[in-house]
Amino acid sequence: MNYGDTRPDCLDFNPFKAIVTPRPIGWIGTLDDQGTPNLAPYSFFNGLGAYPDQVFFASDGAKHSYVNARDRGEFTFSLATEELAQAMNKSAATLPHGVSEFDVAGLDKGQPANIRTPFVAASPAAFECVTIHTMQLEDRTGKLIDRYMVIGEVVRTHIRDEFVKDGRFDTVGARPIARMGYRDYTTVQTAWELLRPDD
Ligand SMILES: Cc1cc2nc3c(=O)[nH]c(=O)nc-3n(C[C@H](O)[C@H](O)[C@H](O)COP(=O)(O)O)c2cc1C
């Protein structure tokens, strides 16, 4: 099977998100114009590179996280884990202005050191980020689409002490969750090593 812009009838949904997988979840903290903390998951999220450590997330529509990260110039990332999955999902709810997802999801706020936006205190790892670029994206013809991207640089990294083992972040122990397609998720439960030819 192959197809272009028109999906064949035998596929009930666009499988794009089920193919580009697993996608790490950027659990994004921001502050709104009143200073109320906002929290939402974004699976169109990833690292862009290290030294300097940079991340991006992309928003379908100009959602609060995008607007806040653009207008405030900062955001946080918290690692979403198996233990925090229900809270992460609750934080995806659309809430009235001034109501914080931290409160609705029952999450304590971790206090940032370099910026003002809190992160999820219970998360094994979190980043404080400064917004570098925000942009509206285009399609292949150059037409602006209702999609927005934020690129940020990590200015402080928080790791809960119990997740540092033998000089490394214990990724498997943290049990990060990631998005697949539809309503499916996966959990990091194993790791295997593959040395590079030049190692
Ligand atoms: C696991 C998960 C991943 C999500 N990823 C995205 C995403 O990449 N882009 C997006 O626009 N919305 C995504 N959403 C939906 C947003 O989290 C949701 O619209 C939320 O209300 C946005 O909140 P905000 O307006 O406070 O930023 C995702 C939801 C879940 C549960």
PDB file of all heavy atoms in Angstrom, residues 87 90 100-108:
ATOM      1  N   ALA A  87      -2.086  11.778  36.033  1.00  0.00           N
ATOM      2  CA  ALA A  87      -1.977  13.229  36.245  1.00  0.00           C
ATOM      3  C   ALA A  87      -1.634  13.929  34.936  1.00  0.00           C
ATOM      4  O   ALA A  87      -2.187  14.999  34.620  1.00  0.00           O
ATOM      5  CB  ALA A  87      -0.927  13.533  37.308  1.00  0.00           C
ATOM      6  N   LYS A  90      -4.791  14.156  32.962  1.00  0.00           N
ATOM      7  CA  LYS A  90      -5.697  15.194  33.502  1.00  0.00           C
ATOM      8  C   LYS A  90      -5.247  16.587  33.072  1.00  0.00           C
ATOM      9  O   LYS A  90      -6.070  17.483  32.866  1.00  0.00           O
ATOM     10  CB  LYS A  90      -5.708  15.130  35.041  1.00  0.00           C
ATOM     11  CG  LYS A  90      -6.634  14.063  35.592  1.00  0.00           C
ATOM     12  CD  LYS A  90      -6.710  14.162  37.104  1.00  0.00           C
ATOM     13  CE  LYS A  90      -7.362  12.903  37.649  1.00  0.00           C
ATOM     14  NZ  LYS A  90      -7.047  12.650  39.049  1.00  0.00           N
ATOM     15  N   SER A 100      -5.481  26.413  37.201  1.00  0.00           N
ATOM     16  CA  SER A 100      -4.212  25.766  36.898  1.00  0.00           C
ATOM     17  C   SER A 100      -4.359  24.253  36.814  1.00  0.00           C
ATOM     18  O   SER A 100      -4.934  23.619  37.703  1.00  0.00           O
ATOM     19  CB  SER A 100      -3.175  26.118  37.968  1.00  0.00           C
ATOM     20  OG  SER A 100      -1.988  25.389  37.720  1.00  0.00           O
ATOM     21  N   GLU A 101      -3.773  23.673  35.763  1.00  0.00           N
ATOM     22  CA  GLU A 101      -3.755  22.206  35.629  1.00  0.00           C
ATOM     23  C   GLU A 101      -2.957  21.561  36.755  1.00  0.00           C
ATOM     24  O   GLU A 101      -3.186  20.392  37.088  1.00  0.00           O
ATOM     25  CB  GLU A 101      -3.159  21.796  34.274  1.00  0.00           C
ATOM     26  CG  GLU A 101      -4.014  22.114  33.066  1.00  0.00           C
ATOM     27  CD  GLU A 101      -3.832  23.526  32.539  1.00  0.00           C
ATOM     28  OE1 GLU A 101      -3.045  24.287  33.155  1.00  0.00           O
ATOM     29  OE2 GLU A 101      -4.479  23.868  31.537  1.00  0.00           O
ATOM     30  N   PHE A 102      -1.999  22.269  37.336  1.00  0.00           N
ATOM     31  CA  PHE A 102      -1.258  21.716  38.479  1.00  0.00           C
ATOM     32  C   PHE A 102      -2.253  21.368  39.585  1.00  0.00           C
ATOM     33  O   PHE A 102      -2.164  20.288  40.197  1.00  0.00           O
ATOM     34  CB  PHE A 102      -0.244  22.739  39.019  1.00  0.00           C
ATOM     35  CG  PHE A 102       1.051  22.812  38.267  1.00  0.00           C
ATOM     36  CD1 PHE A 102       1.230  23.736  37.246  1.00  0.00           C
ATOM     37  CD2 PHE A 102       2.111  21.962  38.579  1.00  0.00           C
ATOM     38  CE1 PHE A 102       2.426  23.811  36.551  1.00  0.00           C
ATOM     39  CE2 PHE A 102       3.318  22.032  37.896  1.00  0.00           C
ATOM     40  CZ  PHE A 102       3.472  22.967  36.874  1.00  0.00           C
ATOM     41  N   ASP A 103      -3.207  22.267  39.854  1.00  0.00           N
ATOM     42  CA  ASP A 103      -4.180  22.044  40.931  1.00  0.00           C
ATOM     43  C   ASP A 103      -5.175  20.951  40.543  1.00  0.00           C
ATOM     44  O   ASP A 103      -5.467  20.056  41.341  1.00  0.00           O
ATOM     45  CB  ASP A 103      -4.923  23.347  41.241  1.00  0.00           C
ATOM     46  CG  ASP A 103      -3.970  24.429  41.716  1.00  0.00           C
ATOM     47  OD1 ASP A 103      -2.895  24.071  42.259  1.00  0.00           O
ATOM     48  OD2 ASP A 103      -4.276  25.620  41.527  1.00  0.00           O
ATOM     49  N   VAL A 104      -5.684  21.013  39.311  1.00  0.00           N
ATOM     50  CA  VAL A 104      -6.686  20.028  38.870  1.00  0.00           C
ATOM     51  C   VAL A 104      -6.088  18.619  38.877  1.00  0.00           C
ATOM     52  O   VAL A 104      -6.766  17.647  39.218  1.00  0.00           O
ATOM     53  CB  VAL A 104      -7.204  20.413  37.464  1.00  0.00           C
ATOM     54  CG1 VAL A 104      -8.045  19.309  36.858  1.00  0.00           C
ATOM     55  CG2 VAL A 104      -8.001  21.707  37.551  1.00  0.00           C
ATOM     56  N   ALA A 105      -4.821  18.501  38.508  1.00  0.00           N
ATOM     57  CA  ALA A 105      -4.179  17.180  38.462  1.00  0.00           C
ATOM     58  C   ALA A 105      -3.559  16.795  39.809  1.00  0.00           C
ATOM     59  O   ALA A 105      -2.997  15.709  39.942  1.00  0.00           O
ATOM     60  CB  ALA A 105      -3.106  17.178  37.367  1.00  0.00           C
ATOM     61  N   GLY A 106      -3.663  17.665  40.820  1.00  0.00           N
ATOM     62  CA  GLY A 106      -3.140  17.346  42.150  1.00  0.00           C
ATOM     63  C   GLY A 106      -1.623  17.252  42.199  1.00  0.00           C
ATOM     64  O   GLY A 106      -1.074  16.406  42.912  1.00  0.00           O
ATOM     65  N   LEU A 107      -0.958  18.125  41.460  1.00  0.00           N
ATOM     66  CA  LEU A 107       0.504  18.053  41.367  1.00  0.00           C
ATOM     67  C   LEU A 107       1.162  19.195  42.135  1.00  0.00           C
ATOM     68  O   LEU A 107       0.797  20.369  41.942  1.00  0.00           O
ATOM     69  CB  LEU A 107       0.926  18.135  39.890  1.00  0.00           C
ATOM     70  CG  LEU A 107       0.536  16.938  39.030  1.00  0.00           C
ATOM     71  CD1 LEU A 107       0.639  17.298  37.543  1.00  0.00           C
ATOM     72  CD2 LEU A 107       1.413  15.727  39.353  1.00  0.00           C
ATOM     73  N   ASP A 108       2.143  18.857  42.975  1.00  0.00           N
ATOM     74  CA  ASP A 108       2.932  19.893  43.642  1.00  0.00           C
ATOM     75  C   ASP A 108       3.864  20.547  42.628  1.00  0.00           C
ATOM     76  O   ASP A 108       4.358  19.889  41.709  1.00  0.00           O
ATOM     77  CB  ASP A 108       3.771  19.290  44.777  1.00  0.00           C
ATOM     78  CG  ASP A 108       2.894  18.899  45.959  1.00  0.00           C
ATOM     79  OD1 ASP A 108       1.784  19.469  46.080  1.00  0.00           O
ATOM     80  OD2 ASP A 108       3.296  18.008  46.727  1.00  0.00           O
TER      81      ASP A 108
END
